[in-house]
Amino acid sequence: MVRARLFCLILLAVLVSGQISDLRYTETNNDNLGEAIQFLREFDREAAEMCNRVANAEWRYSTNGTEFNKRRMREQQNLASKFECISWRRAVSFDSSRIIDTSIRRQLGRIVQQGRCGLGDDKYAELQHVLALLKDNYNSAKVCPFRRIGTESTDLGTFSSAAGGYTSSNYVSGYTGYCDLKISPDLTRLMETSRSESELRHYWVAWREKTGPPVKNTFMRYLHLANQAAEQHGFHDAGEQMRSVYEDGDFFFTVNDLWGQVQPLYKQLFTYVRKGLVRHYGEHEIRRDGPLPAHLLGNMWAQNWRHIIDIVKPNPPETPDISGEMVRQGYTPIKIFQTAEEFFTSIGLSPMAPEFWRNSVLQKPNDGTGQCSASAWDFCNKVDFRIKQCTQVSLDDFTGAHHEMTHIQYYMQYASQPFLYREGPNPAFHEALANAITLSVGGPAHLQKIGLLNSPVTVSNGNTMVNIEYLLNLALDKLPFMAFSLALEKWRWYVFEKGPVGMNARWWELRLRYQGVIPPTGRGFEHFDAGAKYHVISDQDYIKYFVATVLQFQIYAELCQAAQHYGPLHTCDIYRSREAGRILSDVMQQGASLSSAQLVKLLTRGKTSRLSVDPLLEFFRPLEAWLEVQNRDEQIIGWSSTMEDVALFQPLLGRNGQRASTENFTFVLLLGMFMGNVILNKAFLS
């Protein structure tokens, strides 16, 4: 106890004084188990206290975004970063490979392998500064409103292939108002609701002009520093370091194989969506056998297509208005969360603690302060867990409440684990578990069971139009997101390994390959379209969403089997199944003490330790059969690419700035595409 307190006092003194550069741990190849246990005991308490201080500071800023609260939050985050690096230096002084105790070895490994502390103090500070610049540019980006002058396209100016597309000076010709539209909620809502091609094009281009080119050079510095850090942590590059958290030496091939099995279903959905878009916008915008323009899919990044279901499915919905029914039955934000709590207690899990109801923010404050994005919070003291959600009485927020409360249940279940194990075994597990629960509570079977849906939904018949509409909505949400996350991460892994040369063309090559999506305007070398996505410029893992989508159906299927469900998988509801709750609790309690493969084996009761898309395909099988009927007259299932599609992001010019001859252009283009594929494949096979 005395040693622990002494370590604490020294640590805090160092942190407060900022003299971290004077503190060095010497690598001694120490395999003393007693010293390792003592270090981890000290770390466990200090890390939890540090986490609590950071969480409190972030909560205050999130619920009251003053400049003072922002400064206090940054101070605590900086202290946490310094603590992380001090702990890393201490952890690397142990030779964990010679420590017999597997739990001690695993905990040391979780400290040593991740993070960027191997850079040293100066470069670590520079990396943090670079990331702050990237995030500040993104968060402060604002664009001008679309204005119709004469015709819809007047604002956009004249397209210039030499300039790579429309320039920002063309956006609002003649407009004198304020250019103050931010990505959330303004542009997000506009991309979801507008059905004007020229308006959508305007916002799509404007957002990328503001977020990409200004930080392109800064991002390249980030790539260099991240790779240097990865090398210091024993990895070939930062992409390999990011993949290492999945504890799968063949992870690249694993995700490739999984997507290969899902792709036929995705192509059926893609073809049905294209038919609706052609019907709405006409063949002058979209070829009947071609890829889809990225700005017409209801989302700034074309990662989620559910907001264009009114275009995709022309007939009026047969599913009743669940949100309206909730209003009629007197649901409130509090009642929504009470209903979510009752779901978990019905399967044998714990109710929410009094601190949860006292401290959570479950509806938008009257003063309008704070951020409204839904989130679940663990204050790292084993008792204080909260949700922040500006809840509306709607089906989306009903399922969202269950999603966030699943995170809280996970926090509560693994709270007794050492601090390093108080998370999922990889970044996908939290989302996978939360989404598995929403598959149960958001389906027609559960909504009927709790009195929010009166349409006929039977276990034996999963092919009613109510079921098809539910599956279609879910597929528009899940499947494009899988393709997008795979393309994004493949791109990032590539630029980490091969460098930033031609990275914008590579971005669109992968988007076309996996998603069948092309830019609405020409994109040149000066653009940086990946920078329009926050997770790219903020150094956040994204393949976790792909893995979480696969894993959630795997978890859901196992829980349904435990609940003794019979019939189509998508009609399963685990409500009131104590056996399903027992399995869920067994998995949650482990936290990160087991690897993901070990947890999957526990979940499946020994049947497999690998990810599988079979449950996902089984879930969507009725929809796939329906889509095949809808697409029977289509000339191609999926998409075919032409030279014009590829030329949007692979511009080739002649000596005088004009397009090269068709013959030469064709040869060079095909050769470039072939060589690009060879390089890409070699990069990941080496």
Side-chain angles (χ1 to χ4, degrees):
M1 181 64 71
V2 173
R3 288 185 63 190
R5 288 177 179 170
L6 181 61
F7 176 77
C8 173
L9 291 173
I10 293 173
L11 173 62
L12 290 177
V14 170
L15 292 177
V16 171
S17 66
Q19 300 301 313
I20 189 171
S21 59
D22 296 331
L23 187 61
R24 290 288 185 270
Y25 287 104
T26 304
E27 294 192 23
T28 61
N29 294 323
N30 186 354
D31 62 353
N32 187 300
L33 180 60
E35 289 187 20
I37 291 173
Q38 179 64 23
F39 161 66
L40 289 174
R41 186 180 295 121
E42 294 167 352
F43 174 87
D44 193 73
R45 182 178 55 260
E46 295 302 324
E49 291 179 4
M50 182 67 72
C51 176
N52 179 259
R53 290 196 291 271
V54 171
N56 274 294
E58 290 177 341
W59 177 267
R60 283 192 291 270
Y61 178 67
S62 180
T63 54
N64 184 16
T66 64
E67 281 300 315
F68 174 77
N69 285 340
K70 183 177 181 179
R71 286 197 303 274
R72 291 294 299 273
M73 178 185 71
R74 291 282 173 85
E75 288 171 3
Q76 292 298 325
Q77 290 171 337
N78 288 337
L79 288 175
S81 294
K82 293 175 181 178
F83 172 80
E84 177 189 355
C85 288
I86 289 174
S87 301
W88 180 82
R89 290 190 178 94
R90 183 77 186 274
V92 297
S93 71
F94 295 98
D95 184 358
S96 59
S97 65
R98 298 168 63 188
I99 292 178
I100 298 174
D101 189 297
T102 55
S103 180
I104 299 301
R105 189 165 65 245
R106 180 170 175 81
Q107 290 182 67
L108 289 172
R110 291 183 74 83
I111 297 175
V112 170
Q113 291 182 357
Q114 296 307 305
R116 301 278 166 70
C117 295
L119 274 174
D121 299 329
D122 292 340
K123 286 188 176 180
Y124 183 84
E126 183 186 359
L127 177 60
Q128 297 305 310
H129 177 65
V130 165
L131 288 171
L133 291 176
L134 291 167
K135 289 186 278 191
D136 285 346
N137 179 76
Y138 186 98
N139 291 327
S140 63
K142 299 177 182 179
V143 305
C144 301
F146 176 74
R147 296 275 290 183
R148 292 179 177 85
I149 303 175
T151 65
E152 278 197 333
S153 60
T154 302
D155 273 6
L156 295 171
T158 304
F159 177 77
S160 168
S161 59
Y166 296 97
T167 59
S168 56
S169 61
N170 299 131
Y171 288 159
V172 286
S173 175
Y175 179 62
T176 58
Y178 293 105
C179 296
D180 58 356
L181 299 180
K182 302 191 74 174
I183 187 62
S184 180
D186 307 312
L187 300 180
T188 298
R189 184 174 59 247
L190 286 162
M191 296 300 290
E192 290 173 356
T193 58
S194 175
R195 298 296 179 255
S196 163
E197 189 278 333
S198 56
E199 182 179 23
L200 292 168
R201 181 190 296 251
H202 162 73
Y203 289 122
W204 190 96
V205 174
W207 177 247
R208 280 153 182 79
E209 288 290 334
K210 292 291 185 179
T211 54
V215 297
K216 185 177 180 181
N217 290 336
T218 307
F219 182 79
M220 288 191 282
R221 180 59 181 165
Y222 151 76
L223 292 177
H224 180 68
L225 291 170
N227 274 341
Q228 281 191 329
E231 290 170 8
Q232 292 297 318
H233 286 249
F235 299 98
H236 179 267
D237 57 52
E240 184 183 1
Q241 184 179 19
M242 295 179 81
R243 294 192 296 275
S244 69
V245 299
Y246 295 94
E247 300 177 278
D248 178 359
D250 295 323
F251 187 67
F252 171 79
F253 298 103
T254 297
V255 295
N256 257 6
D257 292 344
L258 293 169
W259 179 245
Q261 296 173 63
V262 175
Q263 196 173 43
L265 170 61
Y266 175 73
K267 287 185 175 180
Q268 289 288 345
L269 179 71
F270 176 98
T271 304
Y272 183 68
V273 168
R274 180 178 57 209
K275 183 167 62 173
L277 291 172
V278 169
R279 183 170 54 242
H280 184 83
Y281 290 105
E283 293 188 54
H284 63 287
E285 297 292 344
I286 306 163
R287 294 198 324 275
R288 287 192 174 275
D289 64 346
L292 303 178
H295 65 311
L296 301 179
L297 294 164
N299 177 268
M300 181 60 79
W301 307 278
Q303 69 184 42
N304 181 320
W305 301 354
R306 67 190 182 95
H307 296 287
I308 61 167
I309 192 167
D310 58 309
I311 295 176
V312 170
K313 186 178 179 298
N315 300 323
E318 297 188 22
T319 306
D321 179 13
I322 304 297
S323 299
E325 183 62 27
M326 292 175 65
V327 173
R328 285 190 290 274
Q329 293 189 21
Y331 273 77
T332 63
I334 294 298
K335 183 178 178 180
I336 287 174
F337 280 93
Q338 289 171 338
T339 304
E341 181 187 45
E342 195 274 330
F343 172 86
F344 287 105
T345 57
S346 82
I347 62 175
L349 273 62
S350 302
M352 295 294 101
E355 290 86 357
F356 172 85
W357 298 108
R358 183 168 59 248
N359 297 326
S360 292
V361 175
L362 304 180
Q363 51 191 319
K364 189 172 184 177
N366 293 329
D367 59 8
T369 60
Q371 303 166 4
C372 269
S373 55
S375 52
W377 296 65
D378 181 355
F379 283 75
C380 312
N381 58 8
K382 304 184 181 182
V383 294
D384 193 354
F385 310 102
R386 309 178 193 177
I387 287 175
K388 180 179 66 64
Q389 178 173 306
C390 299
T391 314
Q392 303 292 319
V393 180
S394 67
L395 178 59
D396 279 350
D397 282 4
F398 177 83
T399 56
H402 288 76
H403 178 104
E404 300 303 334
M405 196 169 282
T406 309
H407 289 308
I408 301 297
Q409 286 287 348
Y410 206 176
Y411 298 150
M412 293 165 61
Q413 291 285 335
Y414 60 52
S416 61
Q417 291 280 359
F419 181 81
L420 285 163
Y421 291 159
R422 289 185 220 161
E423 58 184 350
N426 64 45
F429 253 85
H430 252 287
E431 283 299 302
L433 284 164
N435 285 332
I437 296 302
T438 62
L439 289 176
S440 180
V441 301
H446 183 72
L447 297 175
Q448 185 183 50
K449 194 176 293 184
I450 63 174
L452 289 176
L453 177 63
N454 296 319
S455 298
V457 181
T458 63
V459 171
S460 60
N461 179 13
N463 297 317
T464 64
M465 205 58 217
V466 170
N467 280 277
I468 293 299
E469 288 178 355
Y470 164 66
L471 290 171
L472 180 59
N473 264 294
L474 210 55
L476 291 170
D477 182 30
K478 305 285 186 184
L479 301 184
F481 196 31
M482 289 183 72
F484 175 77
S485 59
L486 187 59
L488 183 152
E489 211 64 275
K490 285 277 192 83
W491 173 84
R492 179 156 47 187
W493 297 341
Y494 179 85
V495 295
F496 274 135
E497 183 168 1
K498 295 299 181 182
V501 176
M503 65 180 180
N504 205 59
R506 179 68 64 186
W507 169 257
W508 286 109
E509 177 190 326
L510 291 168
R511 294 291 303 278
L512 177 59
R513 181 186 304 179
Y514 291 107
Q515 258 196 305
V517 166
I518 54 174
T521 68
R523 314 305 290 164
F525 297 111
E526 70 278 13
H527 294 116
F528 174 36
D529 292 329
K533 183 63 180 173
Y534 184 74
H535 291 72
V536 170
I537 55 90
S538 62
D539 190 40
Q540 294 187 46
D541 173 88
Y542 210 76
I543 199 65
K544 65 182 179 182
Y545 296 113
F546 179 94
V547 176
T549 304
V550 174
L551 188 56
Q552 67 189 257
F553 289 95
Q554 215 168 343
I555 295 170
Y556 176 69
E558 293 299 327
L559 297 180
C560 290
Q561 184 175 341
Q564 298 183 339
H565 168 73
Y566 299 99
L569 182 57
H570 71 274
T571 63
C572 164
D573 178 20
I574 67 167
Y575 184 49
R576 296 175 180 161
S577 170
R578 292 300 178 110
E579 182 60 20
R582 184 189 65 77
I583 292 175
L584 189 62
S585 178
D586 286 347
V587 170
M588 286 180 163
Q589 285 176 10
Q590 307 304 319
S593 64
L594 301 179
S595 69
S596 56
Q598 290 172 319
L599 265 190
V600 170
K601 192 169 185 177
L602 175 65
L603 171 74
T604 60
R605 284 152 287 181
K607 288 181 291 191
T608 183
S609 60
R610 298 185 62 81
L611 291 170
S612 171
V613 296
D614 290 343
L616 181 152
L617 297 175
E618 180 186 350
F619 186 94
F620 285 114
R621 189 159 290 123
L623 175 68
E624 185 172 26
W626 183 82
L627 288 172
E628 288 172 356
V629 173
Q630 305 302 310
N631 294 333
R632 60 187 171 221
D633 296 327
E634 294 300 303
Q635 54 185 303
I636 184 172
I637 303 299
W639 61 94
S640 63
S641 303
T642 65
M643 291 186 297
E644 287 76 12
D645 296 329
V646 178
L648 284 168
F649 55 87
Q650 296 268 17
L652 296 175
L653 301 176
R655 292 181 179 178
N656 298 321
Q658 303 296 320
R659 286 288 182 194
S661 69
T662 302
E663 182 179 358
N664 291 336
F665 175 69
T666 302
F667 172 76
V668 174
L669 179 59
L670 292 176
L671 178 62
M673 291 174 65
F674 172 75
M675 291 302 296
N677 287 335
V678 169
I679 292 171
L680 186 65
N681 291 332
K682 184 180 179 182
F684 293 114
L685 288 171
S686 60

